[in-house]
């Protein structure tokens, strides 16, 4: 069972997470949910990570779940409120660093994917990010300005489905644009069907282990 943790962001929000512990010298993964999901949407994948020797931390982004502003505050968020969620990511990565994990990864879905790419581009603390159904712009959280800043030694794995129109466009086409803007170690997985974000795991059970195997290369 994960441990419930509370984190404080630099701008004063309390963020709640599920911490799936592994030894301090193990790699660790931060899990960022899609909207309007919560950290619980990562439970199955977090257990796969644990079974493969990874620590994991799944958080409720601000306005969601048990975090400040939740569970439904996100409904009234303006774009700048969603953009502020990058502070949730910064606080979570700082927590994992303080736990002693030397190698860090982020896996995000939908708006969580966009936040993951944004943080990867701004920080050398994270080795790679996995983006499930990223978009060009989710509620003001942009990917294309961040993509060129990802370092060559970092990595990005992108997965999307052709039947996913939830993002306001064709998810596979947006993912392909983001992929093309990257100059780093990268992999692209496009499915004909599978839906949006973490729904891809239910439609394609093999995806979880494929992601784990890819992360092991870093």
């Amino acid at each position: 069972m994960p441990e419930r943790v509370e984190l404080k962001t630099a701008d004063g929000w309390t963020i709640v997470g599920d911490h799936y512990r592994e030894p301090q010298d193990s790699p660790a993964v931060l899990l960022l949910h899609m909207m309007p999901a919560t950290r619980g949407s990562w439970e199955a994948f977090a257990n796969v990570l644990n079974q493969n020797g990874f620590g994991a931390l799944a958080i409720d982004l601000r306005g969601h779940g048990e975090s400040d502003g939740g569970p439904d505050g996100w409904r009234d968020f303006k774009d700048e409120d969603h953009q502020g969620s990058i502070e949730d990511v910064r606080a979570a990565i700082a927590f994992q660093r303080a736990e002693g994990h030397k190698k860090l990864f982020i896996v995000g879905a939908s708006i969580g994917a966009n936040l993951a790419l944004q943080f990867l581009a701004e920080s050398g603390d994270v080795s790679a990010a996995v983006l499930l159904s990223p978009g060009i712009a989710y509620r003001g959280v942009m990917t294309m300005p961040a993509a060129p800043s990802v370092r060559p030694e970092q990595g990005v794995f992108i997965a999307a489905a052709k039947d996913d129109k939830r993002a306001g466009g064709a998810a596979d086409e947006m993912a392909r644009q983001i992929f093309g803007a990257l100059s780093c170690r990268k992999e692209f997985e496009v499915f004909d069907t599978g839906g949006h974000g973490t729904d891809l795991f239910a439609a394609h059970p093999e995806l979880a282990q494929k992601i784990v195997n890819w992360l092991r290369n870093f």
Side-chain angles (χ1 to χ4, degrees):
M1 292 291 293
E3 173 192 359
R4 183 184 183 277
V5 296
E6 293 189 0
L7 316 174
K8 202 72 172 181
T9 68
D11 57 349
W13 291 68
T14 298
I15 302 301
V16 175
D18 284 336
H19 188 207
Y20 298 77
R21 287 188 178 275
E22 279 292 314
Q24 292 182 343
D25 58 352
S26 68
V29 181
L30 173 61
L31 302 169
L32 304 175
H33 62 75
M34 57 186 179
M35 190 174 65
T38 66
R39 68 188 193 274
S41 62
W42 291 109
E43 181 178 2
F45 183 60
N47 283 321
V48 171
L49 289 168
N50 252 185
Q51 292 161 11
N52 284 272
F54 289 80
L57 174 65
I59 63 170
D60 286 333
L61 295 170
R62 58 186 62 194
H64 297 77
E66 292 188 75
S67 291
D68 279 355
D72 295 316
W74 61 272
R75 295 181 184 276
D76 298 320
F77 274 13
K78 298 177 181 177
D79 282 359
E80 53 264 34
D81 297 313
H82 287 289
Q83 291 165 350
S85 296
I86 194 64
E87 294 295 345
D88 309 348
V89 181
R90 291 171 181 147
I93 291 293
F95 171 85
Q96 290 179 300
R97 276 284 182 224
E99 285 289 300
H101 298 287
K102 302 267 190 310
K103 185 164 288 189
L104 298 174
F105 304 100
I106 306 180
V107 180
S110 191
I111 194 170
N114 285 27
L115 289 165
L117 184 62
Q118 182 179 335
F119 187 84
L120 184 72
E122 77 172 39
S123 174
D125 280 349
V126 176
S127 297
V130 176
L131 316 180
L132 306 179
S133 309
I136 301 301
Y138 284 138
R139 303 297 182 94
V141 182
M142 315 289 287
T143 48
M144 295 305 287
S149 296
V150 176
R151 298 160 180 77
E153 68 273 15
Q154 292 175 310
V156 177
F157 182 115
I158 298 179
K162 294 179 181 179
D163 68 342
D164 177 14
K165 308 299 181 185
R166 178 174 163 183
D172 61 310
E173 293 177 7
M174 289 190 291
R176 199 176 300 279
Q177 288 184 56
I178 298 164
F179 187 80
L182 296 165
S183 298
C184 63
R185 298 167 62 181
K186 56 186 181 177
E187 184 160 342
F188 191 38
E189 184 79 50
V190 178
F191 301 102
D192 289 332
T193 61
H196 191 68
T198 46
D199 295 340
L200 290 169
F201 288 128
H204 303 282
E206 74 282 2
L207 179 60
Q209 192 62 51
K210 183 167 186 176
I211 290 171
V212 167
N213 293 342
W214 185 79
L215 292 177
R216 282 177 169 155
N217 290 324
F218 289 86

